[in-house]
Amino acid sequence: MWMGDFNHFNLLGLVLQSVFIENFLLVNFLGMCTYLACSTKLKTANGLGIAVVFVLTVSGVLNWLLHRFVTGPGALSWLSFIGVDAERIDLGFLEFLLFISVIAGFTQILEIIIEWASPALYMSLGLYLPLIAVNCAILGACLFAVTRDYPFIPNLIYVLGSALGWWLAIALIAAIREKLAISNIVPGLRGMGITFIMSGLMSMAFMGFTGIKLANPAPPQVATWGEEPAAENEEPILDSRDPSLPTISFLSLSH
């Protein structure tokens, strides 16, 4: 439940996978609306990135608990300790609704906190702060983690890494756009045109990590007592040639 077959090396690979190999913005292209709208200033992008990290991490953990104990197959079996046989009840059809409700609830809490702590950041984010509730990257990360059936700690590492990857991508493009704003760009490519080109180049760079496979735990190799090697159990290879046919050797051909 907590770690499963994962070890610390797999957790490191899971961080690399969620941040670089499967970056939600530059590889899966999820959450592009706020990525394009709030990436003109690095300060605004960092504020939104921190908000996404908080919402996605907490929502990912709570949605994992919901799937494990409420909506998953046989998730209600824990009710047997009070005499209720609910193991066959399937509430999977409520999963999307509950996941979105958890994300929307924490987004509302975060909006209240930012408005109280940093009014300037609240005004700069504007409409896009409550839109975190419908950010497809947050819901996608929660659903990906549930679909892959991660244990608790790998699930926490995965959603945290996904949020950090989203923050990294929007911070990088915001820093680039600040430089592009004072650069001599072809008039036809100014604005969103050059932003899409830079996003494509960044995506190609992130896809260079695709060959790294460290997150999947290796299947355990269990040896039983008295087990014979596989080579001894193999059947001998028999000579299927017909003995009545003449045999031609290379020595006879040389003469």
Side-chain angles (χ1 to χ4, degrees):
M1 176 179 176
W2 299 106
M3 283 287 291
D5 296 330
F6 287 79
N7 53 35
H8 295 87
F9 188 71
N10 297 136
L11 295 181
L12 174 62
L14 200 58
V15 172
L16 296 177
Q17 173 182 319
S18 55
V19 174
F20 297 105
I21 304 173
E22 297 180 359
N23 188 282
F24 273 87
L25 273 175
L26 300 177
V27 177
N28 294 316
F29 300 104
L30 297 177
M32 294 294 293
C33 51
T34 49
Y35 166 79
L36 295 173
C38 298
S39 59
T40 55
K41 298 293 182 180
L42 182 58
K43 183 178 180 181
T44 304
N46 285 329
L48 185 61
I50 294 173
V52 169
V53 168
F54 176 77
V55 173
L56 179 51
T57 304
V58 178
S59 300
V61 172
L62 291 180
N63 287 333
W64 182 90
L65 294 173
L66 276 174
H67 176 78
R68 182 58 64 98
F69 297 107
V70 179
T71 61
L76 297 177
S77 59
W78 57 272
L79 292 175
S80 59
F81 81 97
I82 59 174
V84 178
D85 186 13
E87 184 176 0
R88 298 182 179 179
I89 298 178
D90 185 11
L91 298 180
F93 63 95
L94 294 176
E95 196 159 74
F96 275 21
L97 179 61
L98 293 177
F99 280 16
I100 295 175
S101 299
V102 169
I103 296 171
F106 266 92
T107 303
Q108 186 64 35
I109 295 173
L110 183 65
E111 185 177 358
I112 295 173
I113 294 174
I114 292 179
E115 185 179 9
W116 170 76
S118 179
L121 178 61
Y122 178 79
M123 294 301 296
S124 62
L125 293 177
L127 179 64
Y128 295 98
L129 181 58
L131 283 180
I132 295 178
V134 291
N135 192 334
C136 51
I138 297 179
L139 180 60
C142 296
L143 292 176
F144 281 12
V146 165
T147 303
R148 297 172 183 180
D149 199 20
Y150 286 137
F152 180 80
I153 295 179
N155 173 83
L156 174 62
I157 296 298
Y158 178 76
V159 294
L160 177 60
S162 300
L164 292 175
W166 197 94
W167 183 10
L168 174 64
I170 194 174
L172 287 176
I173 195 62
I176 294 173
R177 292 183 72 177
E178 284 187 350
K179 296 296 183 180
L180 292 176
I182 57 175
S183 301
N184 187 15
I185 307 297
V186 178
L189 294 178
R190 292 175 183 172
M192 284 298 168
I194 193 64
T195 302
F196 276 112
I197 293 175
M198 298 307 301
S199 299
L201 294 176
M202 289 169 56
S203 176
M204 292 174 63
F206 273 57
M207 287 182 179
F209 297 94
T210 304
I212 301 177
K213 299 293 183 182
L214 303 176
N216 299 327
Q221 301 292 335
V222 180
T224 58
W225 179 261
E227 183 180 2
E228 297 181 356
E232 297 182 3
N233 296 331
E234 294 180 356
E235 296 182 358
I237 301 176
L238 301 178
D239 191 356
S240 59
R241 292 178 299 177
D242 190 351
S244 61
L245 297 177
T247 302
I248 302 176
S249 65
F250 289 102
L251 294 176
S252 61
L253 291 177
S254 61
H255 294 290

